């Protein structure tokens, strides 16, 4: 079963008296285990597409399915549960809670699921080890470098064993060397654990690492190539 199925999707936004069509009829399927980079200039539609896949926004027309869930037929609460249980998110700005430690940030999705304290702590510690932060579990975000904070964000994204991880410009706030380390980490998780990753990015290093590159232009898929 495909993880993502998008059929003839459009997305319109209203700006004053004008309607802006951010997506103009997109068809896209993503299979389990893929490592996909969505590229394109600002305004190309890549972030809009990522938001639709994540259930953060809905299409104006067309169909968006995550596994066997048609998003248009779900309530807001059901979409929230789908994101909690099946989709992990990694953001450009890390989005960690400043007053929580690395392990507490990592286990947040497990808390939302109602997992027992011992179970969620064990899983969070395991995930922090997987992203190379063993020994740093009790540090707060301001005690971590940008790259380490992004590793915590990745640990948080995968802690709930999601079907899909969506990453929006995950290397944008990092220096080149640290960005390369983060890309290599996500590629390793993809290869060793079979986690499906979809990036919206400007970073050519992500494109070089991806097994599939989708190029967006003016709200359309202009190119879809596999390496």
């Amino acid at each position: 079963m495909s993880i993502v199925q998008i059929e003839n999707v459009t997305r319109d936004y209203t700006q004053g008296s004008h309607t802006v069509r951010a997506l103009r009829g997109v068809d896209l399927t993503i299979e389990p285990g893929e490592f996909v980079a969505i590229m394109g200039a600002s305004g190309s539609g890549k972030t809009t597409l990522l938001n639709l896949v994540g259930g953060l926004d809905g299409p104006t027309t067309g169909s968006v399915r995550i596994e066997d869930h048609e998003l248009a037929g779900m309530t807001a609460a059901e979409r929230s549960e789908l994101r909690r249980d099946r989709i992990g998110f990694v953001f450009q700005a890390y989005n960690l809670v400043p007053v929580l430690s690395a392990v507490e940030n990592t286990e947040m999705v497990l808390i939302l699921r109602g997992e027992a304290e011992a179970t969620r702590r064990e899983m969070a510690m395991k995930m922090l080890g997987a992203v190379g932060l063993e020994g740093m579990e009790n540090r707060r975000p301001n005690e971590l470098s940008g790259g380490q904070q992004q590793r915590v964000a990745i640990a948080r994204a995968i802690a709930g064993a999601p079907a899909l991880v969506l990453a929006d410009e995950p290397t944008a706030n990092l220096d080149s060397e640290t960005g390369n380390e983060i890309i290599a980490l996500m590629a390793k998780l993809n290869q060793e654990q079979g986690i499906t990753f979809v990036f919206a990015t400007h970073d050519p290093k992500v494109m070089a690492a991806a097994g599939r590159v989708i190029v967006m232009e003016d709200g359309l898929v202009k190119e879809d190539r596999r390496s």
Side-chain angles (χ1 to χ4, degrees):
M1 177 175 59
S2 300
I3 287 184
V4 178
Q5 289 182 300
I6 294 175
E7 297 179 359
N8 197 29
V9 160
T10 68
R11 182 64 175 100
D12 297 342
Y13 296 99
T14 300
Q15 294 183 347
S17 60
H18 301 285
T19 298
V20 176
R21 177 149 287 189
L23 297 176
R24 300 172 178 270
V26 172
D27 295 292
L28 180 65
T29 300
I30 296 172
E31 302 298 337
E34 288 201 275
F35 195 79
V36 182
I38 303 175
M39 310 287 292
S42 296
S44 63
K46 66 182 185 302
T47 298
T48 298
L49 182 59
L50 204 71
N51 288 340
L52 292 182
V53 172
L56 299 172
D57 194 6
T60 302
T61 62
S63 170
V64 179
R65 296 183 66 86
I66 305 300
E67 297 181 309
D68 59 348
H69 302 282
E70 170 59 62
L71 298 190
M74 302 175 73
T75 65
E78 288 170 338
R79 289 195 300 273
S80 180
E81 289 179 3
L82 178 67
R83 288 192 296 270
R84 181 195 67 193
D85 294 340
R86 305 302 294 154
I87 304 173
F89 294 89
V90 180
F91 301 97
Q92 175 180 339
Y94 320 137
N95 287 11
L96 302 180
V97 179
V99 298
L100 299 183
S101 66
V103 69
E104 289 168 338
N105 269 285
T106 301
E107 64 186 8
M108 282 185 66
V109 68
L110 304 175
I111 293 173
L112 293 173
R113 288 188 190 178
E115 296 283 357
E117 183 176 356
T119 300
R120 69 183 188 239
R121 183 56 53 98
E122 179 183 2
M123 180 59 69
M125 295 288 281
K126 180 180 177 182
M127 292 302 100
L128 287 171
V131 300
L133 291 180
E134 189 172 357
M136 300 185 184
E137 297 89 352
N138 294 319
R139 295 189 185 183
R140 292 185 178 181
N142 66 355
E143 299 172 311
L144 299 169
S145 69
Q148 289 167 341
Q149 289 184 63
Q150 195 61 297
R151 287 173 182 264
V152 175
I154 294 167
R156 178 182 60 192
I158 64 175
L164 175 67
V165 173
L166 303 178
D168 190 4
E169 301 284 6
T171 61
N173 287 337
L174 305 174
D175 62 69
S176 180
E177 181 179 354
T178 305
N180 285 336
E181 292 173 357
I182 292 298
I183 295 165
L185 170 61
M186 289 190 279
K188 180 181 179 182
L189 293 168
N190 170 257
Q191 293 160 8
E192 295 184 355
Q193 299 187 27
I195 299 171
T196 305
F197 282 91
V198 179
F199 300 81
T201 183
H202 288 99
D203 191 340
K205 298 186 295 294
V206 176
M207 182 172 63
R212 181 181 179 190
V213 176
I214 296 166
V215 180
M216 299 288 296
E217 184 179 319
D218 296 329
L220 293 167
V221 174
K222 287 295 185 181
E223 190 174 354
D224 187 349
R225 64 179 184 269
R226 290 174 169 84
S227 58

